[in-house]
Amino acid sequence: MRVMRAVLLTLGVCSGLWGLLLMRGFTSTQLISTGTFLAGGVIVHDAILAPVTIALGVLAARFLPGHFRAAVGIAFLIWGTLTLAFFNVLSGQGGKPDNFTVLDRPYLLSWVALTVVIAAMTIVVAYRRRPDSGSTDSASR
């Protein structure tokens, strides 16, 4: 375990240093933009994503049967990550009226389809994890 942590720490430090090396030619405007982007990620995580995740976890623990909780928690994690990844295209940011090839796909439809797939998979996994109510003998399953 210590070796794995040392390897991951080394890879993380090297990746960060590589990123800094690539930024050495940035203008002050680009550096400010990068800092704003990074700070925005922390703010969005701490002010929105973390509290929503905690609230959903509390609701799941209170109202869902035990065999649903893990599957729903993982589904919220995956869905939240995908929603954050889709946020720019769902909000229309980055589109250019003079270039129709930018944001030229049905991103909302794709996001809804992924949401439905995640929900369906969550139901399937939770259903498969449910306790067998009919029999106490594990060999009869």
Side-chain angles (χ1 to χ4, degrees), residues 82-141:
L82 285 172
T83 300
L84 284 176
F86 268 77
F87 180 76
N88 283 340
V89 294
L90 289 175
S91 66
Q93 295 178 9
K96 298 187 186 288
D98 60 337
N99 186 349
F100 65 91
T101 62
V102 177
L103 300 181
D104 63 339
R105 291 173 176 78
Y107 294 106
L108 180 60
L109 179 63
S110 299
W111 177 80
V112 169
L114 282 171
T115 299
V116 169
V117 168
I118 291 168
M121 293 303 298
T122 303
I123 292 168
V124 168
V125 168
Y127 179 77
R128 293 195 61 183
R129 290 178 49 97
R130 79 187 189 294
D132 196 16
S133 59
S135 168
T136 58
D137 182 20
S138 62
S140 66
R141 286 187 206 182

Side-chain angles (χ1 to χ4, degrees), residues 27 44 50 60 72 95 102:
T27 65
V44 166
V72 168
V102 177

Side-chain angles (χ1 to χ4, degrees), residues 22 26 33 42-43 48 66 70-72 75 80 85 96 103 141:
L22 293 175
F26 276 21
S33 178
V42 171
I43 291 168
I48 298 170
V72 168
K96 298 187 186 288
L103 300 181
R141 286 187 206 182

Side-chain angles (χ1 to χ4, degrees), residues 47-64 72-73 76:
I48 298 170
L49 188 59
V52 167
T53 302
I54 291 169
L56 290 173
V58 168
L59 288 172
R62 185 164 181 92
F63 296 110
L64 291 176
V72 168
F76 282 145

